[in-house]
Amino acid sequence: MTATEPRAPGGTSAEAGTAAERIVAWAEGLPRPGARPRVIAVEGRSGAGKTTIARAVGERLGAPVLHMDDLYPGWDGLRDGVRVLHDWVLVPLAAGRPAVWRRWDWAAGEYTGEHRVPDSDRVVVEGVGSGGRVLRPYLAGVVWIECPTPERKRRALDRDGQTYAPHWSRWARQEDAFYASDQVRETADLIIDNGALTA
């Protein structure tokens, strides 16, 4: 979960590329809301492969990719991360202003530095919460990455090891509550089955 740790891919580069191509083909048809950038959310539960796929989408679209892992204020911060994305990124972009956000330092337990979202006609945001109900008015579309729980857990723990292991259930409970209320999968514009991919 920490932004500074290396991540294992959620599948091979070829498989992630195939998923990315599907998303890009869909994204090409999204209308642009005036001068605002089209913001695409790549959603799904922890370990589903969102980061790998979102990076591939960003490369193909020439779009910056923002990671919710950089915005959550700690292991209990899913909802607060959604608020931060709303206030620091999506509202300014919608108003035609620069969006400047601060990265959560997981070791220090505080927000540090300032980062401006690069100018682009598209922006990709990935992570749990990026397709939340309060964010939908600012999003051009939401992609849900589907993956069975055993495979997700294997990937997540392979990726973050013992850093994440003690927090898996704690984070999963937040996901359960968030998705029960916000119905992200049920309202997603595109669903990608990433369950067959292996790290």
Side-chain angles (χ1 to χ4, degrees):
M1 187 69 69
T2 61
T4 56
E5 294 182 8
R7 294 171 175 274
T12 68
S13 58
E15 291 164 326
T18 300
E21 292 295 344
R22 282 191 59 202
I23 295 169
V24 168
W26 161 79
E28 294 290 355
L30 296 174
R32 184 169 182 178
R36 291 165 37 191
R38 284 166 283 192
V39 181
I40 300 165
V42 179
E43 259 277 15
R45 290 179 176 264
S46 183
K50 301 179 298 298
T51 301
T52 302
I53 292 172
R55 285 178 177 155
V57 170
E59 288 172 5
R60 286 161 173 75
L61 292 176
V65 180
L66 277 67
H67 305 282
M68 291 297 292
D69 282 0
D70 290 334
L71 302 179
Y72 308 127
W75 288 107
D76 297 309
L78 195 163
R79 280 284 180 190
D80 287 334
V82 172
R83 178 187 52 78
V84 165
L85 176 63
H86 176 273
D87 294 350
W88 292 356
V89 177
L90 299 183
V91 169
L93 288 179
R97 302 193 312 267
V100 179
W101 56 277
R102 301 177 71 202
R103 177 176 283 116
W104 180 259
D105 185 324
W106 288 77
E110 62 184 10
Y111 284 107
T112 61
E114 289 191 346
H115 309 272
R116 179 173 171 168
V117 177
D119 293 334
S120 177
D121 67 343
R122 294 184 182 90
V123 175
V124 178
V125 182
E126 71 84 19
V128 176
S130 61
R133 191 185 307 276
V134 70
L135 308 179
R136 284 307 297 255
Y138 304 93
L139 302 175
V142 175
V143 179
W144 176 269
I145 309 300
E146 183 73 25
C147 185
T149 299
E151 178 65 4
R152 290 191 302 101
K153 186 171 184 178
R154 182 191 69 78
R155 292 176 187 174
L157 298 185
D158 283 352
R159 179 189 70 203
D160 292 330
Q162 292 309 304
T163 302
Y164 192 0
H167 305 288
W168 173 264
S169 296
R170 175 182 180 182
W171 185 257
R173 286 192 295 272
Q174 290 178 80
E175 289 183 342
D176 289 343
F178 176 76
Y179 290 130
S181 66
D182 284 44
Q183 301 288 297
V184 176
R185 186 189 188 284
E186 293 78 2
T187 58
D189 301 290
L190 180 66
I191 296 176
I192 299 289
D193 183 355
N194 198 26
L197 307 188
T198 56

